[in-house]
Amino acid sequence: MSKLGKFSLLTLVAVYFLILVGGIVRTTGSGMGCPDWPKCFGSYVPPTHISQLPANYKEVYSQKRADKNIKLASYLNFFGFNELADKVLHESILHESDFNPTKTWIEYFNRLTGVLTGIFIIITFYLSFKFIKKDTKVFVMALASLILVVFQGWVGSLVVSTKLIPVMVTVHMLLALVLVAMLSWIVIRSNPDLLINTGKINIKWILITLGLCMVTLIFQVVLGTQVREVIDHLALNLPRTEWVVNLGLEFEIHRSFSWVILILHAALLYQLFKLEIKSRIVNSLIAVILITVITGTIMAYFNIPAVLQPVHLLLGTLGFGLQFFLFLQLNSKSTQLI
């Protein structure tokens, strides 16, 4: 495996670790542990005690977010997203939470992990310089990944300023999946040996089934972010034992849709075994999908244990990554995307 291939794979692992940490931030309610961005309470090293903050810290950071949201709302109105602009300007978004050192440092660790991932992306881009002449597309994709990470950082700042409104959290998650796909492409493109030789076998229906698996899993991840939002609201007013029965339609669809994902992956597995196409990625994908469904079932019947929430999110995004990686392995033409 080339140097770029090895490091882009390491970067891919770093992205998934960041997704896990982000899930922990969400589960612990630490998303607003730092009310500003990129600093935390105006410092690169956050405070450990409220005495280190000014008496009017809530008003200060609330006003900073208000100024930023006014600009964001003007852009949204310009592009016709009037309803979203109204949500961004809602007064509830400006309500500042009490200082909590534990939540502050959890969010700070999340940001440090994000910075480390960004450094990995920069190094990946640097290593891609060797491919400028022999394979320019690899360099272009590495550059696109770097640009996406910078954009993702900006979106992250909006997630904070808008106090985690659902649409911003969903966009943040979907961009992470796009980054996973781009890094996977770099790994495969820079290491042709990873391609699966299917010979003259017609794999058209396998690719179609795999494409459906990817689409449905992305839909399921988006549904999961909506369920997570409902849980956040329920957690403010109800004990954990009453969450599941009050989750509503989003949860019902999310739970039932798991059957669609299982059936599609069973069909994919049947097609692969029928044509004797074997890969470690296939085995890993099936295992991840099964464990994802199992963790989801445990959450549904055992009052959504906090420890399983970030794990369930990580498994869902990992499933998509394995699906896309397998798609690239099976279809050499897929690495000609740019």
Side-chain angles (χ1 to χ4, degrees):
M1 186 178 284
S2 67
K3 242 182 211 183
L4 176 62
K6 290 179 181 178
F7 201 85
S8 55
L9 186 59
L10 177 62
T11 305
L12 192 57
V13 173
V15 170
Y16 275 115
F17 182 68
L18 180 59
I19 290 173
L20 175 62
V21 174
I24 294 173
V25 168
R26 195 93 164 104
T27 301
T28 57
S30 304
M32 293 304 296
C34 296
D36 49 341
W37 192 96
K39 294 183 179 181
C40 185
F41 286 103
S43 174
Y44 287 111
V45 178
T48 56
H49 193 272
I50 194 171
S51 61
Q52 297 172 264
L53 298 173
N56 64 334
Y57 74 92
K58 288 187 179 182
E59 291 80 3
V60 170
Y61 293 108
S62 177
Q63 186 57 51
K64 286 183 177 181
R65 289 197 293 112
D67 295 340
K68 192 167 188 175
N69 289 348
I70 289 173
K71 292 182 180 179
L72 175 60
S74 66
Y75 295 141
L76 291 172
N77 281 319
F78 178 79
F79 288 105
F81 298 104
N82 301 318
E83 185 177 346
L84 181 56
D86 291 340
K87 290 182 179 179
V88 167
L89 294 176
H90 197 278
E91 61 180 13
S92 62
I93 285 180
L94 300 179
H95 175 71
E96 205 65 45
S97 303
D98 293 334
F99 173 73
N100 183 313
T102 301
K103 292 183 178 181
T104 292
W105 278 84
I106 290 175
E107 170 59 13
Y108 183 63
F109 180 72
N110 178 44
R111 295 187 183 188
L112 289 179
T113 305
V115 170
L116 180 61
T117 304
I119 293 172
F120 279 19
I121 293 287
I122 292 172
I123 296 174
T124 297
F125 174 60
Y126 170 75
L127 293 174
S128 73
F129 273 72
K130 294 182 179 180
F131 287 77
I132 290 179
K133 291 184 178 180
K134 64 178 180 179
D135 195 343
T136 308
K137 293 180 179 180
V138 171
F139 171 78
V140 172
M141 187 63 86
L143 175 60
S145 300
L146 179 59
I147 294 172
L148 178 60
V149 165
V150 174
F151 181 70
Q152 178 76 317
W154 177 70
V155 172
S157 73
L158 297 182
V159 169
V160 173
S161 69
T162 57
K163 203 174 182 181
L164 314 174
I165 63 174
V167 66
M168 296 306 300
V169 174
T170 301
V171 168
H172 202 47
M173 173 56 66
L174 289 177
L175 287 176
L177 294 183
V178 172
L179 182 59
V180 164
M182 295 171 77
L183 288 170
S184 297
W185 189 94
I186 293 173
V187 173
I188 295 290
R189 179 78 178 195
S190 59
N191 298 279
D193 292 342
L194 292 175
L195 292 170
I196 297 174
N197 183 13
T198 55
K200 296 182 179 180
I201 299 175
N202 186 354
I203 60 170
K204 174 184 176 182
W205 286 105
I206 290 179
L207 294 178
I208 290 175
T209 304
L210 188 51
L212 288 173
C213 287
M214 284 190 280
V215 171
T216 53
L217 191 57
I218 291 174
F219 179 69
Q220 185 74 324
V221 169
V222 172
L223 273 176
T225 62
Q226 303 306 310
V227 173
R228 176 69 249 182
E229 174 63 21
V230 176
I231 290 174
D232 289 344
H233 286 296
L234 293 176
L236 297 174
N237 305 302
L238 296 173
R240 184 178 292 271
T241 53
E242 295 182 30
W243 288 0
V244 174
V245 294
N246 288 283
L247 280 175
L249 183 61
E250 292 94 341
F251 174 69
E252 295 295 332
I253 296 174
H254 185 64
R255 181 171 59 183
S256 300
F257 205 68
S258 299
W259 284 105
V260 177
I261 291 174
L262 278 175
I263 291 170
L264 282 173
H265 282 84
L268 175 65
L269 188 62
Y270 171 76
Q271 290 173 325
L272 290 168
F273 280 4
K274 184 179 179 181
L275 296 178
E276 297 183 350
I277 298 175
K278 298 179 181 179
S279 167
R280 290 181 180 177
I281 297 297
V282 174
N283 298 333
S284 299
L285 173 60
I286 299 304
V288 165
I289 293 300
L290 287 175
I291 297 173
T292 303
V293 172
I294 290 171
T295 55
T297 303
I298 293 174
M299 290 170 66
Y301 287 97
F302 292 91
N303 302 318
I304 314 178
V307 69
L308 284 185
Q309 292 179 56
V311 174
H312 188 64
L313 171 64
L314 176 65
L315 288 169
T317 55
L318 181 58
F320 168 77
L322 291 170
Q323 288 171 340
F324 191 75
F325 203 88
L326 179 60
F327 182 84
L328 295 174
Q329 281 188 310
L330 288 171
N331 183 17
S332 59
K333 292 181 180 179
S334 62
T335 55
Q336 309 295 329
L337 293 175
I338 58 173

